[in-house]
Amino acid sequence: MRSCLMGIDLGTSACKVLLLSTEGRIVASASVAYPVSQPRERWVEQDPEDWVEGARLAVAQALQQAGQVELLCIGLSGQMHGLTALDAHYRPLRPAILWNDQRNEAEADAITHAAGGLEALLTQTGNRMLVGYTGGKLLWLQKNEPHLYERLHLALNPKDYLRYLLTGEIATEVSDASGTGLFDVRGRRWARGLMTAAGLEPAHFPSCHESQVVSARVHHQAAARFGIAPGIPVIGGGGDSVIQSLGAGVVAPGVLQTTLGTAGILAAALDQPLSSPDGRIQVFCNVAPGRWHAMGVSLNAGGALAWFRQVLAAGAERAPDFEDIIAAAGRSVAGARGLLFLPYLNGERCPHPDPAARAAFIGLTARHDTADLARSVLEGVVHSLCDMHALMRAMGVPSGPVSTSGGGTRSALWRQIQADMMGCDVVTRQGAAEGAALGAALLAGVSMQVWPDIDHAAGLLPELTREHPNRVHQALYQEAREIYRQLYPALCASFVRLGSLADTGEAG
């Protein structure tokens, strides 16, 4: 019977389950989608039971694909920052509030004020209280749904709710805890003083372990529900934005990682917790003890392409698919004939922490066509990654080649645009498209001493593709970047006014 590690990733749109052999080969992979609810402007929610049912079905499908296997360990991952509010019986009080929810700007500001201002907050946690972080959501619940807050017993991130259902244990780990905004990433512990100053209860937060610690095992009730044997060790794993770096082979300084999923991420591994002077770059605990993780997260990457596809599909006999849009973009030229796209369709987190930010095509003329529009969307997302790259360089984060992952990296064109704009080689690695589920399975193997450490585990992933910078395109993009970087500062006040107009119109 083949021995395997299982990685479970509770993503935003689907649960992915992966089985990895002890030789580092993917044995099976399954994904089950579930809905996202947007009941109001800037609100994004999910029913936690949809995660559980998605995980149950994906586990069943993966095990069916694999045949007879022995599970050595389960590693967990999931979307970060989500608030899963539980009552005293560990039942959800309301739909979970997700990472890309933008309702709690006032509450995030209130926590920053309670900390003594941004500089004092960065001293306590190492990070801004960004809109979307769990801390601001919890304060929003306290102020806006006090009847539910009074019944609140625990606040968990999504994957930790699944951990509870699998094992009966209430706990989290350092990478996901970092994304609450209430965690001291330098000390790798809860910032309890900040919680108290903000009017939050430290007792509402679970105990916290290092990511690869086996702190619980699958209990009998969960074993029957999920179709797996009781007693299997379960590790906390990591928040998806952090642990997917392991699956991309980025575990030591000197290599950057980009992820083109719904969100866009630029990340780097650190041997020490560098300071981000204005907090725009997030510094989290890594899934390896004694290492940290720097990243910028844009709310708009593959999601921008999905929006563009939806626009093109309106009234069309056949909706274009991803490949159609990429092919159209390939018929344009580098720079999209002088057309730029600001991708802030859902507000923004990094490089601009601004929920009011809006998207825009700049430079549009009558000669531009669908191909140019498609190309400018791809380029706009990478311009945003380059903005993050500039912030990281200013912090002293080492630059190097880029290891890229996520659904968007299926496109050779999008990979080439990254290489041209960032001026370095861009590589993909085998299995990296599996994202956080692969990282969770690899970390489970490290925990079981299948592999001695995460450096060895990351070395199991051979290179698949490599794009080199086109020097002609690089020069063109450098000029375009100078224009692009001026656009948000010039337009941000107008974005706020446009948002007010939209709110007034909807109210009327």
Side-chain angles (χ1 to χ4, degrees):
M1 184 181 296
R2 180 181 295 180
S3 297
C4 289
L5 296 313
M6 177 179 283
I8 303 177
D9 175 37
L10 287 181
T12 307
S13 58
C15 177
K16 188 163 200 172
V17 173
L18 178 141
L19 293 174
L20 191 69
S21 74
T22 53
E23 294 78 35
R25 297 188 181 93
I26 296 172
V27 174
S29 178
S31 180
V32 174
Y34 34 66
V36 175
S37 172
Q38 294 183 278
R40 293 177 60 179
E41 181 80 13
R42 297 187 180 182
W43 289 31
V44 189
E45 300 181 344
Q46 272 177 334
D47 183 347
E49 291 309 308
D50 288 338
W51 302 333
V52 179
E53 182 63 8
R56 187 188 69 80
L57 292 173
V59 166
Q61 291 176 17
L63 290 174
Q64 185 176 26
Q65 286 179 36
Q68 292 294 315
V69 295
E70 175 194 16
L71 289 184
L72 301 179
C73 185
I74 298 172
L76 302 177
S77 179
Q79 51 177 300
M80 301 181 72
H81 319 305
L83 172 60
T84 314
L86 304 183
D87 66 15
H89 301 286
Y90 306 115
R91 296 175 302 203
L93 287 165
R94 68 177 321 283
I97 306 175
L98 301 195
W99 60 275
N100 49 353
D101 186 283
Q102 298 284 289
R103 79 183 72 176
N104 63 320
E105 183 177 9
E107 289 74 25
D109 289 343
I111 293 175
T112 303
H113 179 75
L118 178 58
E119 186 174 345
L121 177 64
L122 292 174
T123 300
Q124 295 175 64
T125 67
N127 289 290
R128 281 178 179 257
M129 179 55 69
L130 292 173
V131 174
Y133 276 11
T134 319
K137 295 181 175 74
L138 197 54
L139 195 60
W140 181 92
L141 184 70
Q142 181 190 85
K143 292 183 176 181
N144 293 274
E145 296 178 352
H147 61 293
L148 295 180
Y149 188 83
E150 288 174 1
R151 296 168 53 202
L152 179 70
H153 183 66
L154 282 166
L156 297 182
N157 283 331
K159 75 169 180 19
D160 297 323
Y161 178 63
L162 179 62
R163 187 211 302 233
Y164 162 67
L165 292 180
L166 282 171
T167 68
E169 180 194 45
I170 298 293
T172 189
E173 48 72 45
V174 293
S175 71
D176 223 0
S178 298
T180 64
L182 300 169
F183 195 76
D184 172 6
V185 299
R186 298 179 186 88
R188 303 174 87 92
R189 59 179 178 261
W190 289 114
R192 298 187 183 277
L194 175 61
M195 294 176 187
T196 302
L200 300 174
E201 292 288 339
H204 287 158
F205 296 88
S207 61
C208 187
H209 305 284
E210 289 292 338
S211 305
Q212 65 192 58
V213 169
V214 174
S215 57
R217 295 174 181 267
V218 176
H219 61 56
H220 286 273
Q221 185 176 352
R225 183 175 187 179
F226 286 86
I228 53 182
I232 296 172
V234 178
I235 64 166
D240 58 359
S241 297
V242 181
I243 202 169
Q244 66 189 7
S245 294
L246 174 55
V250 179
V251 295
V255 181
L256 299 174
Q257 181 208 2
T258 60
T259 303
L260 295 177
T262 303
I265 301 172
L266 178 69
L270 305 175
D271 286 334
Q272 56 184 333
L274 298 177
S275 296
S276 175
D278 60 3
R280 284 193 284 172
I281 294 297
Q282 302 163 75
V283 179
F284 287 1
C285 296
N286 210 320
V287 295
R291 291 189 187 177
W292 284 262
H293 179 88
M295 67 178 172
V297 180
S298 166
L299 302 181
N300 307 277
L305 197 63
W307 164 81
F308 186 64
R309 176 184 178 276
Q310 185 178 8
V311 170
L312 293 180
E317 292 184 6
R318 186 185 73 86
D321 55 25
F322 175 84
E323 288 75 17
D324 293 331
I325 296 173
I326 295 298
R331 294 193 291 272
S332 183
V333 297
R337 284 189 264 269
L339 183 61
L340 291 171
F341 176 66
L342 293 183
Y344 314 134
L345 289 158
N346 298 296
E348 192 50 288
R349 178 179 296 176
C350 187
H352 308 295
D354 182 4
R358 291 188 164 227
F361 286 104
I362 308 293
L364 193 62
T365 70
R367 75 188 187 118
H368 288 113
D369 58 16
T370 301
D372 300 320
L373 292 168
R375 177 99 187 199
S376 70
V377 170
L378 301 183
E379 292 179 347
V381 170
V382 182
H383 274 303
S384 188
L385 294 175
C386 289
D387 281 348
M388 299 178 202
H389 191 201
L391 293 171
M392 283 195 183
R393 288 199 305 269
M395 290 171 56
V397 176
S399 295
V402 169
S403 177
T404 190
S405 60
T409 58
R410 296 197 306 269
S411 162
L413 175 60
W414 220 348
R415 299 196 304 267
Q416 186 64 52
I417 290 170
Q418 289 185 70
D420 295 345
M421 283 198 190
M422 301 184 79
C424 61
D425 286 3
V426 172
V427 303
T428 60
R429 297 191 176 278
Q430 189 176 74
E434 305 290 344
L438 175 60
L442 287 168
L443 192 64
V446 174
S447 182
M448 292 291 99
Q449 299 183 323
V450 174
W451 305 295
D453 51 42
I454 65 168
D455 300 275
H456 184 95
L460 298 169
L461 309 171
E463 184 178 306
L464 290 180
T465 66
R466 180 177 290 262
E467 267 70 42
H468 305 285
N470 180 311
R471 301 303 174 187
V472 174
H473 292 175
Q474 192 176 352
L476 185 153
Y477 283 133
Q478 186 172 355
E479 184 174 355
R481 279 212 39 72
E482 293 177 6
I483 301 169
Y484 182 92
R485 291 171 63 182
Q486 299 172 25
L487 294 176
Y488 172 79
L491 293 171
C492 60
S494 298
F495 291 152
V496 173
R497 294 180 66 187
L498 287 168
S500 298
L501 287 175
D503 292 340
T504 301
E506 288 177 4

